Amino acid sequence: MEIKCLCLGSIGTNCYLLSTNKSAVVIDPGFHSDKTANFFESNCDKEKMILLTHAHFDHIGDAERLRNLYGAKIGIGVYDSDALADTHKNLAYLFGVDLKPFSADVTFGDLEEFMVGDLNFKVFHT
């Protein structure tokens, strides 16, 4: 498995890129970045997913674009899922960010386990 950490945007959102022989996962894609798009482009033959650790605007801003471009599913914890469509809950309104509402493809509960390609994940609600 290969793991890369990126610091994206002017406020430095941590984004992680995970890849294996069968998987390509972007965690917290931040806002528009060629780096995340290039990652999915170079892993086009793998199962893809966008995982969101929480719904603050600076972590979710590019998720919808990446889903539309590469067919990656979006996953987030069940308690944060409604904030994807609410600029007050995701705090975009405080920073004057125009973030269009969207929804996740998958929501996860505490201690839930799931797979993306050949990667196993376990959710811990914090």
Side-chain angles (χ1 to χ4, degrees):
M1 174 170 48
E2 184 176 349
I3 301 172
K4 291 182 182 177
C5 181
L6 307 175
C7 187
L8 301 176
S10 59
I11 55 177
T13 299
N14 287 326
C15 171
Y16 297 90
L17 309 176
L18 286 66
S19 62
T20 65
N21 291 333
K22 297 181 181 179
S23 312
V25 177
V26 173
I27 301 173
D28 292 343
F31 278 96
H32 182 86
S33 171
D34 290 337
K35 293 177 183 177
T36 54
N38 291 342
F39 172 75
F40 273 153
E41 188 70 33
S42 66
N43 288 282
C44 63
D45 58 334
K46 300 176 183 179
E47 186 174 343
K48 293 173 279 307
M49 187 158 214
I50 301 158
L51 295 176
L52 305 173
T53 60
H54 63 288
H56 286 160
F57 74 97
D58 57 317
H59 289 254
I60 68 172
D62 208 21
E64 178 73 353
R65 180 182 78 97
L66 291 172
R67 172 170 55 189
N68 290 338
L69 287 173
Y70 300 103
K73 291 184 178 179
I74 297 173
I76 192 168
V78 67
Y79 298 117
D80 277 333
S81 63
D82 63 332
L84 299 176
D86 187 326
T87 60
H88 281 74
K89 289 182 179 179
N90 65 39
L91 306 179
Y93 83 100
L94 285 175
F95 294 85
V97 174
D98 182 25
L99 184 61
K100 303 290 185 238
F102 66 98
S103 61
D105 298 296
V106 182
T107 57
F108 303 107
D110 191 35
L111 304 179
E112 187 171 339
E113 296 183 36
F114 65 97
M115 290 189 71
V116 179
D118 55 353
L119 284 174
N120 294 308
F121 292 89
K122 186 170 185 175
V123 176
F124 293 93
H125 176 74
T126 57

